[in-house]
């Protein structure tokens, strides 16, 4: 169950979501997008709108990371409501974000695996996600039944 998150506005059959982050830097518009990269495979893209253009490399530092990550998680569950058979890939664009993703998935592991299958990649190999291992890529699928 996702706790406090920002209100989301879904588009394109829940493949894009817009929300507004509000913190020390003011109001920041953010986008979560599930980009189709193959049959039933999607990439999770997340970032800010800067001067009307989407950027996944900006560091906003709006001091609302927990609420923002909870909002991305809520968008992910809504995406899976429409795409039950999808495989969602998550790759970080830099080492800082990769550490953050590993930390979040470790911390929320038990909660995540109640409804989703979670995998990580180490040395080019996919394995069932094991807490306290460092992965460079992740896959998530909705559990069947």
């Amino acid at each position: 169950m996702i706790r406090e998150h920002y209100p989301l506005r879904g588009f394109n059959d829940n493949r894009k979501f817009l929300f507004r982050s509000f913190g020390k830097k003011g109001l920041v518009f953010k986008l979560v997008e599930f980009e189709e990269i193959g049959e039933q495979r999607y990439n999770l893209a997340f970032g800010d709108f800067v001067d009307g253009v989407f950027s996944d490399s900006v560091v906003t530092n709006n001091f609302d990371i927990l609420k923002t990550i909870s909002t991305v998680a809520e968008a992910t569950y809504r995406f899976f409501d429409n795409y039950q058979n999808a495989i969602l890939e998550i790759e970080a664009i830099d080492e800082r974000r990769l550490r953050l993703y590993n930390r979040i998935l470790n911390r929320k592991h038990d909660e995540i695996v109640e409804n989703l299958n979670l995998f990580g990649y180490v040395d080019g190999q996919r394995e069932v996600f094991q807490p306290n291992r460092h992965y460079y890529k992740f896959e998530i699928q909705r559990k069947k039944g």
Side-chain angles (χ1 to χ4, degrees), residues 6-8 18-22 27-30 62 64 71:
Y6 288 112
L8 285 163
L18 291 173
F19 68 96
R20 295 177 296 190
S21 158
F22 188 76
L27 186 64
V28 178
F29 289 89
K30 299 198 176 268
N62 212 7
D64 63 345
T71 306

Side-chain angles (χ1 to χ4, degrees), residues 23-134:
K24 290 189 176 188
K25 303 275 176 112
L27 186 64
V28 178
F29 289 89
K30 299 198 176 268
L31 173 75
V32 181
E33 183 174 12
F34 301 93
E35 303 168 314
E36 190 168 11
I37 57 175
E39 188 172 333
Q40 298 292 330
R41 295 189 79 80
Y42 296 82
N43 175 64
L44 190 158
F46 166 68
D48 294 358
F49 278 105
V50 178
D51 298 324
V53 177
F54 172 72
S55 173
D56 62 357
S57 62
V58 171
V59 177
T60 305
N61 200 14
N62 212 7
F63 296 92
D64 63 345
I65 187 70
L66 295 178
K67 193 169 184 178
T68 296
I69 294 299
S70 291
T71 306
V72 173
E74 177 66 19
T76 300
Y77 280 105
R78 290 187 191 181
F79 166 78
F80 279 126
D81 284 345
N82 283 28
Y83 301 91
Q84 290 97 16
N85 297 317
I87 298 169
L88 184 58
E89 294 183 11
I90 302 170
E91 289 188 72
I93 64 165
D94 59 35
E95 187 61 33
R96 187 185 68 76
R97 285 177 175 86
L98 183 59
R99 284 191 308 273
L100 174 65
Y101 298 167
N102 272 280
R103 222 175 21 253
I104 291 166
L105 293 173
N106 272 296
R107 186 176 301 149
K108 296 293 186 177
H109 175 264
D110 292 344
E111 187 177 324
I112 292 167
V113 298
E114 288 179 18
N115 299 303
L116 304 171
N117 295 314
L118 178 59
F119 302 94
Y121 280 80
V122 171
D123 298 326
Q125 299 295 314
R126 184 179 100 148
E127 66 181 34
V128 173
F129 186 94
Q130 298 174 40
N132 301 316
R133 274 189 72 126
H134 185 78

